[in-house]
Amino acid sequence: MEIRHTTNRDLERIMEVYECARRFMAEHGNPNQWGVTQWPPEQVIYEDILHRTSYVCVCENRIVGTFFFRSGEDVEPTYRRIIDGKWQNDSAYGVVHRLAGDGSVKGIGKFCLDWAYQRCGHLRVDTHGDNIVMQNLLSEMGFVHCGTIFVEQDDAPRLAYEKF
């Protein structure tokens, strides 16, 4: 597998990957994280592409996964407020959002998170309380649950994880 920046030509395929991910989440006890709002909308992905923060995971010349990644100082404003805990490290960090796979290849999530971590050495991620699959992956990869954050898209709290 390899990771590359997303291009506008990839947009249709990315939306298919997100549809696969929404189905998978619903089948595994997490129908509300992206399913109710059909998150993420195409416009958000288009803006990610424009800002070069959208990436695809490619296997045998086929897009099998996608995610948002950005790193630097204070790159995620919603992470400024964390409750029921605290971040372990205040240094510059990377953030991964909207991680999704189409289900055709095992290990896409781990591959993408490893790729992002290798680029910054300090990564923060959040996930919905019902997303047990992601919570298990993060724990297996050495991420530590640090508390709870809130996103702008909905009122559901998100579990905040960090690895450095």
Side-chain angles (χ1 to χ4, degrees):
M1 284 190 284
E2 67 177 285
I3 304 291
R4 67 167 170 78
H5 276 104
T6 307
T7 68
N8 287 334
R9 292 185 313 270
D10 301 327
L11 191 57
E12 182 178 339
R13 175 64 185 144
I14 295 224
M15 298 316 291
E16 291 171 359
V17 170
Y18 281 120
E19 182 56 36
C20 292
R22 283 191 290 272
R23 274 195 308 274
F24 176 86
M25 288 193 292
E27 292 167 1
H28 290 85
N30 184 17
N32 297 315
Q33 184 173 352
W34 290 350
V36 174
T37 60
Q38 296 298 299
W39 188 258
E42 193 171 299
Q43 183 61 35
V44 167
I45 304 308
Y46 177 76
E47 290 172 17
D48 291 348
I49 293 169
L50 186 66
H51 294 108
R52 300 189 53 80
T53 55
S54 179
Y55 294 85
V56 290
C57 180
V58 179
C59 184
E60 297 178 2
N61 296 316
R62 179 170 167 79
I63 294 172
V64 296
T66 185
F67 62 99
F68 167 98
F69 171 72
R70 182 172 56 202
S71 64
E73 293 286 335
D74 196 28
V75 294
E76 178 51 67
T78 60
Y79 288 177
R80 291 178 192 146
R81 180 175 172 257
I82 185 168
I83 63 169
D84 300 328
K86 66 178 190 166
W87 296 114
Q88 298 182 10
N89 186 314
D90 290 330
S91 66
Y93 61 91
V95 63
V96 170
H97 290 308
R98 300 185 282 284
L99 175 60
D102 69 358
S104 68
V105 177
K106 187 170 174 50
I108 292 170
K110 182 180 183 322
F111 186 82
C112 295
L113 287 168
D114 278 341
W115 179 93
Y117 184 74
Q118 289 171 9
R119 270 132 194 90
C120 62
H122 181 192
L123 197 57
R124 291 179 178 174
V125 180
D126 67 86
T127 191
H128 197 279
D130 291 339
N131 196 339
I132 303 302
V133 173
M134 183 60 139
Q135 292 171 47
N136 289 339
L137 174 62
L138 293 170
S139 292
E140 289 170 13
M141 292 183 65
F143 283 80
V144 174
H145 176 241
C146 294
T148 303
I149 61 101
F150 294 87
V151 297
E152 297 173 0
Q153 292 80 16
D154 60 51
D155 294 334
R158 298 296 197 273
L159 304 176
Y161 289 82
E162 183 174 41
K163 179 178 179 178
F164 66 93

